[in-house]
Amino acid sequence: YKVMKLLGVDIVYNHADYRLMSKRALDALEEFEEVNLFLRGIVPLIGYKSDVVLYERNERFAGESKYPLKKMLSFAFEGITSFSVKPIKLILDIGIIMFTTSLLFLIYFIALWCLGKTIVVSIWMLGGIQLLCLGIIGEYIGKIYIETKKRPKFIIDKFIKK
């Protein structure tokens, strides 16, 4: 939950998909045309008033959970990729840092070469350029991804009759 929050997913900490919703909220939820609905992130997007019911969760009394760590991590990855393009932006940032660092090293190595020293040219620049290009392509793909979800721009709560 904390990682998802850091990556921009508006999510209520430690809650499940079980919830009570009004007909009005369900109608608003139907406006989302996505196939893979990550309910823990979409329900807060609806924007209607909500509340939390706290309860004490007892230990499981009927066998082992059928939701192992691998499935939980897959679920978290689904949530992050459904609501955030920050991982793509992170790749772009790493590419910029690598490219800038390698450019500084290149200038340093050229200065050493001019002074008659032997130089070793690193492949950091090539890797930085590749990550930079992947990051830029990823930015475009991220924008396309968000557009294809066709999420409603707003949800009308009430119509006022004249």
Side-chain angles (χ1 to χ4, degrees), residues 8-23:
V9 181
D10 183 21
I11 192 166
V12 177
Y13 181 74
N14 202 18
H15 79 94
D17 286 329
Y18 184 77
R19 66 188 80 236
L20 177 65
M21 295 176 69
S22 68
K23 171 83 169 104

Side-chain angles (χ1 to χ4, degrees), residues 72-153:
M72 282 191 266
L73 291 175
S74 174
F75 185 65
F77 185 74
E78 180 72 28
I80 290 167
T81 56
S82 293
F83 281 90
S84 179
V85 291
K86 283 191 179 178
I88 294 172
K89 292 179 184 292
L90 184 63
I91 292 171
L92 179 63
D93 292 344
I94 291 170
I96 290 170
I97 290 168
M98 279 185 67
F99 178 73
T100 305
T101 304
S102 64
L103 199 57
L104 293 173
F105 273 116
L106 181 64
I107 293 168
Y108 174 71
F109 288 142
I110 289 172
L112 284 178
W113 179 71
C114 289
L115 295 173
K117 307 268 184 182
T118 307
I119 63 166
V120 176
V121 178
S122 154
I123 60 167
W124 280 31
M125 182 173 272
L126 182 60
I129 290 171
Q130 288 174 337
L131 278 176
L132 185 66
C133 292
L134 280 174
I136 291 169
I137 292 168
E139 285 289 322
Y140 284 106
I141 292 172
K143 289 179 189 316
I144 292 167
Y145 175 66
I146 288 170
E147 287 294 323
T148 60
K149 288 182 174 286
K150 297 181 183 173
R151 289 184 178 162
K153 289 181 178 51

Side-chain angles (χ1 to χ4, degrees), residues 23-42:
K23 171 83 169 104
R24 188 177 62 162
L26 286 173
D27 290 341
L29 184 62
E30 283 183 341
E31 291 184 33
F32 290 84
E33 298 179 20
E34 298 171 43
V35 176
N36 298 319
L37 283 177
F38 185 72
L39 286 176
R40 295 178 191 192
I42 285 187

Side-chain angles (χ1 to χ4, degrees), residues 47-62:
Y48 292 144
K49 287 183 183 178
S50 65
D51 207 348
V52 176
V53 177
L54 298 175
Y55 66 96
E56 193 171 313
R57 193 174 1 183
N58 296 327
E59 272 193 46
R60 187 181 187 94
F61 62 88

